Amino acid sequence: MSPGPRRREVPAAQESPTPDRLAIRTQGLTKRFGKQVAVDAVDLAVPRGAVFGFLGPNGSGKTTTIRVLLGLAAASGGSAEVLGHDMPGALRQVLPRVGALVEGPAFYPYLSGAANLQRLDTANREAASSTRAARVDRALERVGLSHAAGKMVRAYSLGMKQRLGIANALLSPRELLVLDEPTNGLDPQGTREVRALVRSLAAGGTTVFVSSHLLAEVEQMCTHVGVMSAGSLVAQGSLDELRQVGDARVTVQTPDLAAARLVLATLGLSVDQGDDAVTALLTTGAPEPEAIVAALVRDGVRVRGFAVTRPSLEERFVALTGEGFDIAQ
């Protein structure tokens, strides 16, 4: 799959975070499988303390990027830093500070949730066995599963299994949590549970990196976003910045359609006329909305309604990627 020209339409933040304030930083990160470019020169900048939504249609390169960041796959080019260290060279220093849930949790179905976590905790050579039970209890409490600690995992709902997977990632203190499609396949209740958990973890100071193809989930959970398309990062910034990108449109409701159209055209605007309103794009250099209203009134146009709107996030993402996003489960 050969990506087309990259389109970085979202400007950088007013004050870009310095490298020491970034939890994840990549420069020109590239991953090839033979002749196929799965990740193409990606420059990620994930601020510490953010809930960063890594958004893109299925097959856009999200999971491959995550696997490279976690040292599960080797990059073909470029560089990656996680928590200020080069990867994969600093795996031993970085991975104990990172929790990850990639490609879904896997547990022993006939063991309890607590027993599963205890077995998984034994794989951590730096974790003291004397405090294992306390760590497991604390992790289960953080994800709201204390009441189900003794229940066999085969009786867990999908949402409970996802939360148990996150509990495993939180057995030790983590500065960064990486979640790949954490609400995939969940019912609305399970989705709400995971969403609330992510918010609570971020409130406690953990940076959360969430990969998803669900626009609504990213919009409700995240403070920042990066948009992938065909292996390329086509947009990056805070959600507020993303909402401000794209030409605004003014809509004038008036009985004087022809006169309003003439005024807007005289102001240099590209005008469309409907049955009961006139609309125009506010491109760069266009007059301020207040000046447009003043010009309309000055020329005797009876203004019954005036609105300024921007493209929705869904429209922005479709424009960036040329593909639709799933809006809901």
Side-chain angles (χ1 to χ4, degrees):
M1 179 171 58
S2 178
R6 292 189 297 277
R7 294 159 287 176
R8 288 186 60 89
E9 298 191 20
V10 177
Q14 294 287 329
E15 294 183 8
S16 298
T18 56
D20 63 312
R21 294 171 58 194
L22 295 175
I24 296 173
R25 180 178 181 235
T26 70
Q27 294 180 299
L29 188 66
T30 301
K31 176 62 178 177
R32 299 183 184 89
F33 296 98
K35 294 182 179 180
Q36 178 182 356
V37 181
V39 178
D40 186 15
V42 166
D43 296 336
L44 271 176
V46 179
R48 289 181 183 262
V51 181
F52 190 96
F54 199 37
L55 183 66
N58 288 327
S60 59
K62 304 187 304 297
T63 298
T64 299
T65 301
I66 289 174
R67 291 179 65 83
V68 172
L69 290 173
L70 296 177
L72 299 174
S76 304
S79 63
E81 293 180 10
V82 177
L83 299 178
H85 295 275
D86 291 329
M87 294 290 281
L91 279 175
R92 290 189 176 182
Q93 298 98 303
V94 171
L95 288 189
R97 301 157 60 192
V98 179
L101 179 60
V102 180
E103 298 178 350
F107 299 105
Y108 295 99
Y110 292 98
L111 291 180
S112 69
N116 266 281
L117 292 188
Q118 288 167 359
R119 288 179 66 92
L120 290 167
D121 189 67
T122 61
N124 184 353
R125 296 180 180 179
E126 299 182 4
S129 59
S130 60
T131 56
R132 180 164 296 135
R135 281 196 303 279
V136 168
D137 289 344
R138 185 168 56 249
L140 289 168
E141 182 180 359
R142 289 193 73 183
V143 301
L145 285 178
S146 294
H147 67 286
K151 181 185 293 188
M152 285 190 291
V153 166
R154 68 182 178 88
Y156 277 26
S157 67
L158 273 175
M160 293 170 70
K161 290 177 182 176
Q162 287 292 85
R163 284 190 285 157
L164 187 63
I166 297 173
N168 175 47
L170 296 174
L171 281 170
S172 298
R174 310 293 187 183
E175 297 175 43
L176 172 65
L177 188 62
V178 179
L179 306 176
D180 188 15
E181 302 284 0
T183 62
N184 199 26
L186 301 187
D187 60 19
Q189 178 60 32
T191 297
R192 284 192 292 271
E193 291 172 355
V194 172
R195 186 191 306 148
L197 176 58
V198 167
R199 288 173 179 160
S200 69
L201 293 172
T206 301
T207 303
V208 185
F209 185 86
V210 182
S211 170
S212 180
H213 66 281
L214 297 171
L215 173 58
E217 286 309 302
V218 167
E219 192 170 1
Q220 292 184 63
M221 274 194 293
C222 299
T223 59
H224 294 71
V225 68
V227 182
M228 292 287 287
S229 177
S232 297
L233 185 69
V234 295
Q236 181 172 218
S238 71
L239 272 180
D240 289 340
E241 288 171 336
L242 196 58
R243 290 189 178 103
Q244 295 303 311
V245 172
D247 292 331
R249 180 176 291 273
V250 296
T251 301
V252 182
Q253 294 179 327
T254 175
D256 307 318
L257 295 176
R261 180 183 178 90
L262 179 61
V263 171
L264 295 181
T266 302
L267 293 172
L269 304 181
S270 176
V271 183
D272 295 317
Q273 182 173 319
D275 293 335
D276 57 358
V278 177
T279 63
L281 285 176
L282 286 181
T283 55
T284 303
E288 293 295 324
E290 296 84 354
I292 296 173
V293 173
L296 290 166
V297 173
R298 186 169 56 248
D299 281 31
V301 176
R302 291 168 290 175
V303 179
R304 291 178 176 171
F306 185 89
V308 180
T309 58
R310 290 188 178 274
S312 67
L313 281 178
E314 179 185 355
E315 291 169 332
R316 291 296 307 130
F317 291 146
V318 170
L320 285 164
T321 67
E323 301 183 60
F325 282 72
D326 291 337
I327 305 305
Q329 296 277 28

